[in-house]
């Protein structure tokens, strides 16, 4: 699944260069590969949730124009129903993306820790004499959680917020281009 050890006892792993960073990014992204379908579903939920912010101005404009300009009182009875349905769809999309991203994140952490442990078991005993146990524990706990945050929480926030901004800009420009 993932090529190359997470830990290397050689000195070349300590020399930072662009190729190594790109290799690290591709190795980290490989952990998402088994969860592509769930990630795509979470992305769809993010799109629905983010785009729903752009729907609010259209909904309000339609209702206000209908009630006050056209004196259509049926919209006053439909408004609460539409708002409840809208809120349910929005809440389902938010729950879906939060649940799926958390699920993927926990599974990626499990996979990385399992791979890390398998690599540790393959290392020579002299590696453990040169490497402190505190560094290994920190890598297994905090560093792996940072990778999870990068793959799930941070990417989700960026994607969701970009979609929100685009949806709100589109609705603002459509409703009042001046």
């Amino acid at each position: 699944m993932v090529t190359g050890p997470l830990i290397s006892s050689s000195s070349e792993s300590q020399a930072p260069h662009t190729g190594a960073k790109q290799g690290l990014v591709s190795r980290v992204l490989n952990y998402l590969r088994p969860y592509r379908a769930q990630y795509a579903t979470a992305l769809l939920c993010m799109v629905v949730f983010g785009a729903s912010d752009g729907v609010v101005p259209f909904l309000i404009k339609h209702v206000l124009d209908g009630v006050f300009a056209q004196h259509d009182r049926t919209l006053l009875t439909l408004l609460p129903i539409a708002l409840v349905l809208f809120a349910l769809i929005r809440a389902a999309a938010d729950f879906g993306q939060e649940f799926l991203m958390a699920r993927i994140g926990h599974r990626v952490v499990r996979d990385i820790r399992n791979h890390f442990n398998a690599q540790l078991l393959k290392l020579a005993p002299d590696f453990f004499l040169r490497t402190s146990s505190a560094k290994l524990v920190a890598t297994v706990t905090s560093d792996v959680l940072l990778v999870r945050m990068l793959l799930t929480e941070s990417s989700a926030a960026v994607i969701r917020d970009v979609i929100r901004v685009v949806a709100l800009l589109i609705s603002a420009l459509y409703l009042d281009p001046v």
Side-chain angles (χ1 to χ4, degrees):
M1 178 163 103
V2 176
T3 59
L6 286 172
I7 319 174
S8 176
S9 60
S10 68
S11 62
E12 82 179 54
S13 68
Q14 297 171 359
H17 56 282
T18 309
K21 289 179 183 176
Q22 288 175 345
L24 178 65
V25 170
S26 66
R27 284 191 328 202
V28 167
L29 289 177
N30 278 337
Y31 283 104
L32 276 179
R33 191 165 285 160
Y35 311 109
R36 281 182 294 216
Q38 292 177 15
Y39 197 76
T41 305
L43 286 175
L44 178 66
C45 289
M46 282 182 232
V47 168
V48 170
F49 183 75
S52 67
D53 282 344
V55 173
V56 173
F58 289 107
L59 184 62
I60 291 172
K61 180 188 182 316
H62 180 70
V63 170
L64 291 178
D65 286 350
V67 171
F68 294 115
Q70 300 167 359
H71 304 290
D72 186 4
R73 296 202 185 266
T74 59
L75 285 176
L76 285 175
T77 58
L78 292 177
L79 178 63
I81 296 169
L83 288 176
V84 168
L85 287 175
F86 179 74
L88 287 175
I89 291 169
R90 186 173 159 84
D94 186 34
F95 175 78
Q97 70 97 23
E98 290 286 340
F99 174 79
L100 289 172
M101 292 306 277
R103 185 176 184 185
I104 292 167
H106 290 300
R107 290 183 177 181
V108 165
V109 165
R110 179 199 60 202
D111 294 346
I112 291 173
R113 285 182 177 163
N114 285 342
H115 187 252
F116 187 85
N117 189 36
Q119 293 299 321
L120 280 176
L121 293 174
K122 293 178 185 176
L123 293 174
D126 66 326
F127 172 81
F128 296 101
L129 294 174
R130 291 179 288 137
T131 308
S132 72
S133 59
K135 181 179 180 184
L136 293 175
V137 170
T139 302
V140 170
T141 56
S142 65
D143 293 356
V144 172
L145 292 177
L146 289 173
V147 170
R148 180 194 64 139
M149 284 179 54
L150 169 73
L151 291 177
T152 58
E153 296 170 20
S154 300
S155 64
V158 168
I159 292 168
R160 186 180 55 241
D161 291 342
V162 165
I163 292 169
R164 273 181 165 161
V165 168
V166 169
L168 287 170
L169 279 174
I170 289 171
S171 64
L173 290 174
Y174 181 80
L175 291 174
D176 190 10
V178 177

